[in-house]
Amino acid sequence: MKIQPDRIDTLAIQAHGPGWLHAGGQRYEHSVVIAASGVLRAWDCARFEALTVEHFAQLAELAPEVVLFGSGPRLRFVPPALLRPLIERGIGVETMDTMAAARTYNILAGEGRRVVAALLIESGPG
């Protein structure tokens, strides 16, 4: 007897490429937060260097089991002090480039995990 559903309805990223992604029927060319629970919103950070503790506090408020941080077109690690709101709540954090984070988000969301992806899509020089 099969006891798992054939499909878990969740918010997914349908497509992505350098500098953009498509989710929830819309194309985004700016940083976004997407959660399997249905949250999809702009993430007010246009550059990796502009990240603050407040950016990660916003993610902690969503109470996921894990946050996937997409650091832009290449892998860059956030200073641990900025991750304090997640660490203090026992929320796991995985860092990868944004495209890898988008793919990993879809896998974990499809498994029914409480996952949030914070995907940095950097705008021009600044």
Side-chain angles (χ1 to χ4, degrees), residues 32-105:
V32 297
V33 171
I34 183 169
S37 63
V39 172
L40 176 56
R41 65 178 185 227
W43 197 35
D44 187 27
C45 188
R47 309 281 309 150
F48 181 85
E49 297 77 16
L51 287 166
T52 66
V53 71
E54 180 56 36
H55 288 108
F56 294 95
Q58 293 169 9
L59 304 175
E61 291 172 8
L62 297 172
E65 61 183 290
V66 66
V67 168
L68 302 174
F69 171 61
S71 62
R74 63 186 173 87
L75 178 62
R76 294 175 283 184
F77 291 98
V78 175
L82 298 183
L83 300 175
R84 181 144 316 279
L86 299 171
I87 295 166
E88 287 177 348
R89 294 186 189 190
I91 298 169
V93 182
E94 293 292 334
T95 300
M96 52 196 77
D97 68 67
T98 294
M99 296 302 97
R103 292 186 299 270
T104 304
Y105 165 82

